[in-house]
Amino acid sequence: MIFVAGAPVCTDSSSSCSQGHDILTDLMKHPVLVSASSSFSDVAERKFSVSNSSGISRHNRWVYIFQREYATVDPALVNVIGTDEATTCVGLVIRNQNSGMTSVAHLDSPDVVDIGLAQMLAFVVNQSSDAMLDVHLIGGFDDASPELVNGITESHGKLEGYSFPLCKKIVDSLAKSNMKFHIHTLHVLGHNTRRDSEGIAYPIFTGFLAETATGSIIPANFDATTRCPDEVVRRIRVSASFEDPSWKGRLLETYDTQTDQFVIAPCTWGMRKMHIALMLQNLSDQEILLTCSTSPSAEAPDFVDNQRRQWDYLIQHPDWSETFPSKKPRIFQRAEDKSWVRHQAKSSSSSYPYAN
């Protein structure tokens, strides 16, 4: 069930209002959400970096989420949780108003929404369906074809882009749930889109951070010092999970809420990944953008480098069991200086200062 400004948006599940398209259309026009999105657009984007004193204090405890991951954090253990690099993806925040428990997911496909939502809610609701849950959706800029904007219907397939089907699925799942979701921010699609002089669309923001104590959401951009730990392996899991049946329809397990540890669940891949990596490494930067991105014109400057680092790793480690021996997770514990220390059962621990 969805609420905006304390009032339910849709209560009749048998009516046309129950369809994701109609619900999304109504929400995008809702004056409260339009105003909130306009105000959000005016907020200065925070550069989140260990080296930038205005972006993060070394006393802060933060959790960063990559694509297709989620994490639920306890405000007693974590100050800030966030994600970025969301162009046609959507960052979803769900926070329990009473406990402050906050879950963030980086959703990249309608296929992971239903199970992903259940994963997020497992710790947030604490077995109580009566809790009022604050919700924010950020990302998913308007990547639809101009023909669609001018009136072509969804039956024309890919003209609707990647963002719209994902946003539609998210709000549809929220509306059909028995939980009470109070949407405060809907900074997606047209609300999160700017156009250049040639009419090319770009996202206004691709990331955000959530302050767990207050529930405040702030536009944010992260760097290599805060996209951690185990950056490359976690990026590889995104594409590898499509070939690993154990992850079908699910968000990637990454963080343990109760112990404040990164527990990076194993993902398998075959030699095919190495052969693909060898082929892709021969492409030009422009060819990589066109081949590997759903939004080539909207990617950050480090997109290609991030791709190449993954392929280098796969070429050097073609067997997934080198990365996940005995199919065990990779565990990282927080050190006193806020660096991450990898826990290795059969050998001494090794320190990963902020990034891998």
Side-chain angles (χ1 to χ4, degrees):
M1 186 180 300
I2 293 175
F3 291 77
V4 176
V9 171
C10 178
T11 57
D12 184 359
S13 62
S14 65
S15 72
S16 61
C17 183
S18 65
Q19 300 302 311
H21 180 285
D22 299 321
I23 299 171
L24 181 57
T25 299
D26 289 344
L27 290 173
M28 290 294 292
K29 296 177 181 178
H30 197 293
V32 171
L33 294 179
V34 170
S35 176
S37 189
S38 177
S39 297
F40 191 77
S41 294
D42 292 336
V43 178
E45 183 180 67
R46 183 176 299 183
K47 305 299 182 183
F48 202 68
S49 172
V50 169
S51 60
N52 181 0
S53 60
S54 65
I56 177 174
S57 165
R58 287 180 179 271
H59 299 292
N60 278 348
R61 290 171 171 257
W62 81 95
V63 167
Y64 178 83
I65 297 303
F66 282 101
Q67 182 177 337
R68 196 164 275 228
E69 293 182 343
Y70 84 101
T72 302
V73 300
D74 185 335
L77 300 174
V78 176
N79 307 115
V80 171
I81 178 172
T83 189
D84 67 351
E85 303 183 320
T87 54
T88 58
C89 297
V90 173
L92 175 63
V93 183
I94 302 177
R95 181 179 184 271
N96 188 314
Q97 289 184 358
N98 296 324
S99 68
M101 294 292 286
T102 304
S103 190
V104 171
H106 187 128
L107 302 167
D108 62 355
S109 167
D111 296 337
V112 298
V113 171
D114 286 331
I115 297 177
L117 190 59
Q119 291 173 281
M120 295 177 73
L121 292 173
F123 277 102
V124 171
V125 298
N126 196 25
Q127 299 181 341
S128 173
S129 60
D130 294 329
M132 182 63 86
L133 305 173
D134 293 333
V135 173
H136 307 267
L137 289 84
I138 299 158
F141 81 115
D142 186 1
D143 66 327
S145 166
E147 286 86 350
L148 178 63
V149 175
N150 291 329
I152 302 297
T153 64
E154 290 181 46
S155 62
H156 289 74
K158 294 183 179 179
L159 291 176
E160 66 179 356
Y162 293 93
S163 298
F164 182 80
L166 177 56
C167 293
K168 180 175 66 173
K169 176 61 178 176
I170 294 170
V171 298
D172 186 54
S173 296
L174 295 177
K176 290 178 178 178
S177 172
N178 292 327
M179 301 294 175
K180 298 175 181 177
F181 297 106
H182 189 138
I183 298 182
H184 293 275
T185 309
L186 189 64
H187 198 70
V188 297
L189 302 174
H191 295 331
N192 188 36
T193 303
R194 61 181 178 84
R195 295 184 183 274
D196 64 16
S197 59
E198 297 180 356
I200 298 175
Y202 300 90
I204 298 172
F205 299 123
T206 61
F208 62 87
L209 60 85
E211 297 179 342
T212 59
T214 63
S216 297
I217 308 296
I218 302 168
N221 176 269
F222 296 76
D223 69 4
T225 67
T226 49
R227 291 177 184 150
C228 61
D230 221 12
E231 175 196 359
V232 173
V233 169
R234 289 166 67 189
R235 288 185 185 277
I236 289 172
R237 289 196 312 166
V238 177
S239 59
S241 66
F242 286 94
E243 301 177 12
D244 186 337
S246 66
W247 290 110
K248 184 177 181 180
R250 299 172 57 205
L251 293 172
L252 294 164
E253 301 283 351
T254 302
Y255 172 83
D256 187 281
T257 305
Q258 296 174 309
T259 62
D260 186 35
Q261 296 182 126
F262 272 91
V263 181
I264 300 166
C267 194
T268 64
W269 57 81
M271 293 296 290
R272 177 172 171 268
K273 293 287 290 182
M274 181 197 69
H275 296 309
I276 293 174
L278 285 167
M279 177 191 69
L280 292 173
Q281 279 289 42
N282 291 321
L283 298 181
S284 68
D285 289 0
Q286 182 62 23
E287 288 171 330
I288 290 173
L289 281 168
L290 294 174
T291 302
C292 302
S293 174
T294 58
S295 52
S297 63
E299 296 294 354
D302 60 354
F303 176 85
V304 171
D305 178 64
N306 290 335
Q307 296 295 316
R308 292 195 185 278
R309 287 189 295 117
Q310 294 174 63
W311 300 332
D312 283 341
Y313 185 96
L314 287 168
I315 292 168
Q316 295 172 26
H317 307 280
D319 185 347
W320 65 267
S321 64
E322 295 179 40
T323 303
F324 296 102
S326 302
K327 213 170 185 178
K328 298 294 184 182
R330 295 162 67 91
I331 300 175
F332 292 79
Q333 299 171 330
R334 213 186 283 272
E336 289 186 7
D337 64 354
K338 305 304 183 294
S339 64
W340 291 99
V341 178
R342 184 172 174 200
H343 176 73
Q344 297 174 308
K346 294 184 179 181
S347 62
S348 60
S349 297
S350 56
S351 180
Y352 289 71
Y354 300 106
N356 188 25

